[in-house]
Amino acid sequence: MRSEAVTTEGRRSKQLEPGVVSLWGLVSQSIAGMAPTCDVVAFMTAGAAFALVALPLSYLLAFGLMFIEVNTLYHLSKHRGGAGGYYSYVSAGLGPRAALVTALMVIFYQLVSVAGVPVYVAGVFLPGLAKAYLGVSLPGWFWMVMVLVFIGVPWGLSVAGIRPTVRTLVFTSSLEIVFLIVASSIIIGRSPLHTPLHPFDMAAVGVKGVALGMIFAITSFIGVGSHAPLGEEAKGVRTQQGRLIGKAAILSLTMVGVALTISAYALTVGWGQSAMAAFAKSPAPGVEVFLRYLGPVGAVALVVLAVNSALMDDVALLNSSARVLYAVGRDQLLQTSFSVVNGRRAPAAALSAVAALAIAVAFGFGLWLGPSNAFNVLTTAVLFGLVTAHTLMNLSLMRISYRERRAVQVLFHLVLPVVAMGLFWVVLYESIVPFTFPLAWAAVVWVVVLVPSVAWSWWAIGHGRVLPGRDRHLGTPPPEATTPVAPTLPG
């Protein structure tokens, strides 16, 4: 009896800590993954170069598209909560090969986002701010040091365990949403609105301009599902964990979507609708608008919250991608050491691997293309990975619905997934065709990652790496009492 208790406790010590993340904790993780204040100073500046005065329209359409896509997440997560997140959802509908490709794509695009955001904030935003407002030219190596800070600090917080991480995210996420909505409302109220609906007129820049702006707008929302891999750590009985994931996705997307659309409109009318061509060329246009309408206090608050937002974004995406890597390792489909947790029940090995790779990507692309171009390329690569993973998610929902003959759910299980996939690929096509460099390097990077991912998934599954009965349950905890020991991968 004593031996069984010790064995059970030892087994539990190798798992994530269950029942510690509340619904609002999940919402906050998702909000942090979307990094709303960082989006205002980074993605909106980049998106405005293409969308110009239609920047608010790009954000509104991206918000609508992601809301359609969240339908898929909501329905797939209803009956399963696991560290695999999307990996487990695709496993349920399309089987292990598609699931493993999904997992690798999620890790890819979240890791690239962890690298890309600090490259922009440290390499473009902060140097531009220092030059414009302080007259100080930061040294060329500044951004590299700050990348280590922007990834190192989140890594340190994440390996300390999910409890302190979530407590931090709850506070900062709430503060960001309130600040953006209140500050943007004040700016709109003080701006001269001669043609208030002009920013929502697609004819102003054409479909191409709005679609290119949507690249950065959609990427602003990529963290909406970053809470899904916290399913095993969610509070409540096991059958409710998945339902909490779906509810949290809807709540977080609604709050961030409203905040970002209002913010995009505030920046557009606050800057001047006819002068948006100069917006993207300014070193810190968001700060300039806040300074003009809210004074130094508002501008400083935006800068502080934007820097913090970038840090929390990396915290959320490190948490998410590392847990997917942990789940894949636990399923014996990648290096099994990724499934090891530390004394705080955090997947430390997986966190360290993702953080190290993100630093390498940030340094490599930043030195090769320069911080500004590197950010644009990495952001577009993120979109490629996201669209791939979400396409497989939508196909999984459709397959499950067909298999279970859920004819009454045709709208939610067929129509909306098809619409979401179509819109995703249209935006992706408009954003990359005709191919022009350096932006086209994003497609090259995606192919370089996708091809080996598909090849490995085909080989690993074909060689019996999936335990019997697990093909539709990857990414979820295996039954403790009946799980046989599988052969570990070499290395």
Side-chain angles (χ1 to χ4, degrees), residues 152-167:
V153 171
W155 171 83
L157 184 59
S158 298
V159 296
I162 196 63
R163 291 175 184 264
T165 302
V166 169
R167 281 197 295 266

Side-chain angles (χ1 to χ4, degrees), residues 357-440:
L357 285 172
I359 291 171
V361 169
F363 282 179
F365 279 84
L367 291 170
W368 174 33
L369 299 172
S372 182
N373 282 331
F375 173 72
N376 290 338
V377 170
L378 292 174
T379 298
T380 308
V382 166
L383 184 60
F384 271 96
L386 181 145
V387 170
T388 305
H390 280 262
T391 296
L392 291 169
M393 283 258 290
N394 282 300
L395 291 173
S396 178
L397 177 60
M398 294 163 64
R399 178 69 180 277
I400 291 173
S401 182
Y402 174 78
R403 196 166 60 222
E404 298 180 2
R405 300 294 191 272
R406 296 179 183 174
V408 295
Q409 295 285 358
V410 65
L411 173 63
F412 297 110
H413 293 179
L414 176 61
V415 176
L416 291 182
V418 169
V419 170
M421 285 189 293
L423 290 174
F424 268 132
W425 285 102
V426 166
V427 170
L428 197 57
Y429 176 85
E430 290 290 340
S431 69
I432 205 70
V433 177
F435 285 91
T436 56
F437 288 91
L439 202 60

Side-chain angles (χ1 to χ4, degrees), residues 15-16 18 80-84 88 231-233 238 241 326-327 330-331 470 473-480 483:
Q15 298 175 357
L16 301 171
R80 56 174 57 209
S88 69
E232 291 176 31
E233 296 153 288
R238 189 170 188 80
Q241 289 175 332
Y326 160 89
R330 183 175 61 188
D331 287 328
R470 287 285 293 168
H473 301 279
L474 297 178
T476 58
E480 292 183 355
T483 302

Side-chain angles (χ1 to χ4, degrees), residues 227-240:
H227 65 298
L230 271 62
E232 291 176 31
E233 296 153 288
K235 286 183 178 178
V237 295
R238 189 170 188 80
T239 56
Q240 292 297 316

Side-chain angles (χ1 to χ4, degrees), residues 41 61-62 102 110 124 203 237 239 254 302 320 377 465:
V41 302
L61 292 177
T102 302
Q110 290 188 345
V124 180
V237 295
T239 56
T254 300
L302 177 66
S320 178
V377 170
R465 299 289 179 180

Side-chain angles (χ1 to χ4, degrees), residues 50-82:
F50 306 100
L52 300 175
V53 68
L55 180 66
L57 178 60
S58 289
Y59 268 85
L60 181 62
L61 292 177
F63 177 26
L65 172 56
M66 293 307 296
F67 213 95
I68 294 173
E69 181 60 23
V70 159
N71 160 76
T72 297
L73 172 58
Y74 178 82
H75 286 282
L76 282 176
S77 66
K78 275 185 177 180
H79 304 293
R80 56 174 57 209

